[in-house]
Amino acid sequence: MVRARSLNLMNRHSKFVILNILLLWLTGGHGVAQTEAPPPLTAGNCGMHLGGPVIFCETFDTKKDPTVQSRTGDLDPDVWGVSRATGNVNFGGGSYNGWAASNPLQTCTGTVTAAPPNDIVICNGQLREATNDNPTGAFDAGNVTTLAMYPKQPFDFAGRTGTVSFDVSNDSHGTHSAWPEFWMSDLPVPTPFNHFDSWQALPQNGFGVRFGAAVTAGQFGSCPNGRNLNMPRWTVDSAVVVRNYVMDDTVGLGGVRTSLATKQLDCVISPPDNSGITNHIELRISQNQIDVYATDPGVAATAATLRHIAVITNANLTLTRGLIWLEDVHYNADKSAPPSQKQHTFVWDNVAFDGPFTYRDFSYDALDVVQLNAATSTIDLGKFSLPSQTASWDVLYVPANPNPQAVRVLFNFFAYNAFKTLNLLVNGHAHAVAWPYPDTQGFTWKTFAVSIPVTDLVSGTNVVQLGSDQAMATSNVNIVLVNVPGGVPVLPGSNNAYPVK
C-alpha cells in the first residue's frame, strides 16, 4: 500500500549530496553523478518518487467482477490484459502452449493449486501470480515461460524523461531460474519477449529490461561493490531494444548489435525466498537512456534508500508511446541454486507511471482453451491448425457501435517454418497478410497485430479464425479498439469501467 511522505527541500538536497558522495566512495567512482541526477522526490504519488504526478496508479485494492470471463484472473480486464506463453509446443505430441496443470500459488492465506486464469490473485492490497516451468516435475525437464501483464493505458515519454515505478518481490536465483522483466511495446501485442535468439516474440518497436542478475551472499557477481556483501543481492542483468522487429540485445546473441550497453552501478538486497517482501523499482525512460533505481526489500523509498543500480545507454528507442509490461519469466529453474524456483510466486504492487493522459484501449479476450494433456501434465492454452486450415476463437463482450481510432486483432503464433500468407477471418471477413518480419525464424512464438475495419465487428461475441499455409499454433487472441472516446485515466477514485456505448 502507498503511504504519503513529506521531505523538506533543503534536507532532500543535503541527503542527495551526502548519498552521492557515499556512492562515489563505495562504487569506485560509479555513483549517481556520473549518469543521471535524480529530480526532486514527490510525496505520495502511488509510491513513485522520481517522476512527476502519476497518470496511472494501480494499488491492487479491488478485484474484478467474478462474473466477467477473461484471461486476467483477479485483475480488472477493463484496465489490465494478460497473456501466457511457454516453450511446451509439440505439434506431433499435441501440445499447443502447454501450461502446467499443477501450479502452486502462494496466496495470503496459504498455498493453493491454480490453473489459468486463476493463477493471478489479489489479496491484502497486492497482486500475486505463479508460474511452473516444469509440469512433469522430473529434474531438469523445465522450459522457458512468461506470464505477461499490462495496463491498457499507454505511457507517453515524448520529448521528456518519463518514469515508471512498481514493487516486486525479486527473490530470483538468476537467469536459469525465475526472474521479473519490464517491457514496453508500441502496440499491445501479447507476450512481448525474447529468450536469447531462440525465442523472438518481438514487438515491432519496444524494449525489455531483465532483473535477473542475482548474487549469492558473500559473492560479488555482477555487483560492482561490496555493499551488503553478506546478503543475497540483485541488479539489472541485461537489456534488449527492438527496432522494426530487429532486436539489439546486450546479451549479444542474435539480432543486430549496436552501441547499446547495460552498466551495473549497484545492487540491492534480495528479499528472503518466498517471503513476498517487495523491492521498489523506478525506471527513468528517455529516447536514448534508461536509468534504473531500486530499494532494498521492505524499505520505504526515500532519497537515501533509492539506489541507482543500472544505466542503459545508447538506447536509440524507436517509440515514444506504448504499453508497459510486467513479466514473470522462467528458464528451467531446476538448474539454478537450490531450492529450485520452477514453481514460484511473485508479488507485485503500486504500479504507476507519469506523463500526459493518452487514452485507454478497449480490449476483449478470447479465453484460453485450458484443455488437459495428461501425457505432459499440461493444459493447452492454444489451438492448432493444419496448413490452409484455421483455428477458431470466440472473442467476448465486444460493444455495439464503437467509434475507435483503429481496430486490431492481436495474437501469438508458433510455426515450424515461416509462412507465405497468414489467413485471418473476423466474422467471415477475410484478410490475407504476408510474413511481416525481416527474419524467417521458425520454432519460436511470434507476436503480431493485424488492423481490420470496424465494419468487420459485431456486438457481443466475435469469431476470429487464424491459420496459414503452414501448420501453426495460435494463442492469446484479442480484439483491441484503440482510443474510443470516453476513456478515463486509472487513478484511485476514478471510474475504471468503460463507458456504455
Side-chain angles (χ1 to χ4, degrees):
M1 302 298 294
V2 180
R3 292 178 176 83
R5 163 188 75 78
S6 63
L7 184 64
N8 178 273
L9 287 174
M10 184 173 294
N11 288 343
R12 180 191 307 158
H13 175 73
S14 301
K15 288 181 179 180
F16 172 71
V17 171
I18 294 169
L19 174 63
N20 198 24
I21 293 170
L22 287 172
L23 282 174
L24 287 169
W25 173 65
L26 288 169
T27 64
H30 301 301
V32 173
Q34 286 203 351
T35 51
E36 183 199 57
L41 273 69
T42 304
N45 210 33
C46 200
M48 180 184 293
H49 293 274
L50 299 181
V54 300
I55 198 65
F56 178 89
C57 174
E58 175 65 89
T59 55
F60 303 115
D61 293 319
T62 58
K63 301 180 182 182
K64 77 164 191 180
D65 178 348
T67 66
V68 175
Q69 298 182 82
S70 71
R71 298 196 306 261
T72 61
D74 278 352
L75 284 169
D76 182 353
D78 284 350
V79 179
W80 288 87
V82 173
S83 46
R84 301 166 180 84
T86 170
N88 294 320
V89 179
N90 185 323
F91 293 172
S95 185
Y96 318 119
N97 201 9
W99 205 255
S102 176
N103 190 14
L105 169 64
Q106 294 177 338
T107 72
C108 295
T109 56
T111 300
V112 299
T113 299
N118 300 318
D119 50 359
I120 299 173
V121 300
I122 290 173
C123 58
N124 293 347
Q126 293 179 314
L127 180 142
R128 293 169 177 255
E129 50 78 20
T131 300
N132 178 0
D133 69 63
N134 187 342
T136 68
F139 179 75
D140 196 20
N143 215 314
V144 179
T145 64
T146 181
L147 186 156
M149 307 172 289
Y150 82 99
K152 297 179 179 180
Q153 180 177 317
F155 166 61
D156 191 309
F157 62 93
R160 69 186 188 96
T161 298
T163 305
V164 179
S165 62
F166 56 91
D167 302 340
V168 63
S169 57
N170 191 11
D171 55 357
S172 171
H173 292 178
T175 54
H176 225 315
S177 184
W179 68 95
E181 296 192 6
F182 173 88
W183 278 77
M184 185 172 179
S185 62
D186 53 350
L187 298 178
V189 288
T191 64
F193 173 69
N194 79 294
H195 182 70
F196 301 124
D197 58 349
S198 59
W199 180 326
Q200 296 188 40
L202 303 176
Q204 185 168 7
N205 298 285
F207 69 91
V209 180
R210 307 176 182 107
F211 303 103
V215 181
T216 57
Q219 303 296 315
F220 275 80
S222 298
C223 298
N225 59 60
R227 186 202 309 269
N228 299 313
L229 185 62
N230 63 323
M231 302 290 289
R233 299 176 291 165
W234 66 266
T235 187
V236 171
D237 166 66
S238 54
V240 58
V241 172
V242 183
R243 310 177 188 94
N244 197 23
Y245 294 120
V246 177
M247 71 177 187
D248 180 6
D249 196 325
T250 61
V251 170
L253 295 174
V256 175
R257 286 293 288 121
T258 69
S259 56
L260 173 74
T262 300
K263 183 176 183 180
Q264 290 92 358
L265 304 174
D266 205 347
C267 283
V268 291
I269 297 172
S270 304
D273 283 357
N274 305 313
S275 66
I277 302 172
T278 59
N279 302 91
H280 179 72
I281 297 173
E282 304 207 10
L283 296 96
R284 299 270 295 158
I285 301 166
S286 62
Q287 202 76 45
N288 209 39
Q289 183 164 308
I290 303 165
D291 290 271
V292 184
Y293 298 79
T295 68
D296 291 329
V299 175
T302 68
T305 60
L306 263 176
R307 296 215 290 276
H308 197 178
I309 62 171
V311 58
I312 299 156
T313 55
N314 300 319
N316 188 24
L317 300 179
T318 48
L319 77 168
T320 57
R321 175 185 290 185
L323 295 309
I324 68 164
W325 295 80
L326 307 177
E327 303 203 20
D328 171 354
V329 176
H330 281 226
Y331 174 34
N332 192 11
D334 275 343
K335 286 190 173 181
S336 69
S340 172
Q341 292 185 319
K342 62 187 177 187
Q343 300 171 341
H344 184 263
T345 299
F346 278 118
V347 177
W348 305 81
D349 204 355
N350 299 324
V351 181
F353 55 78
D354 67 1
F357 175 64
T358 51
Y359 52 86
R360 191 146 46 99
D361 284 331
F362 289 23
S363 178
Y364 304 94
D365 290 350
L367 302 180
D368 292 322
V369 176
V370 195
Q371 175 65 49
L372 179 64
N373 186 331
T376 58
S377 301
T378 61
I379 50 174
D380 286 324
L381 305 184
K383 294 183 179 182
F384 176 69
S385 59
L386 290 167
S388 302
Q389 296 184 3
T390 61
S392 183
W393 295 89
D394 290 345
V395 178
L396 308 178
Y397 307 123
V398 176
N401 305 314
N403 185 27
Q405 177 181 309
V407 180
R408 298 187 179 101
V409 179
L410 312 176
F411 53 93
N412 290 117
F413 69 87
F414 190 110
Y416 289 176
N417 300 289
F419 54 71
K420 292 181 180 179
T421 304
L422 172 78
N423 299 312
L424 165 67
L425 292 89
V426 180
N427 300 314
H429 300 281
H431 305 273
V433 183
W435 180 265
Y437 311 103
D439 66 274
T440 57
Q441 181 172 348
F443 289 90
T444 175
W445 284 108
K446 296 283 193 178
T447 188
F448 194 46
V450 178
S451 295
I452 62 170
V454 68
T455 51
D456 282 5
L457 302 180
V458 298
S459 175
T461 298
N462 286 246
V463 179
V464 173
Q465 295 169 259
L466 288 162
S468 75
D469 52 71
Q470 300 289 323
M472 63 189 297
T474 51
S475 198
N476 297 311
V477 179
N478 284 80
I479 291 177
V480 172
L481 310 180
V482 180
N483 198 10
V484 176
V488 294
V490 178
L491 293 168
S494 70
N495 175 18
N496 288 345
Y498 290 159
V500 177
K501 293 295 174 185

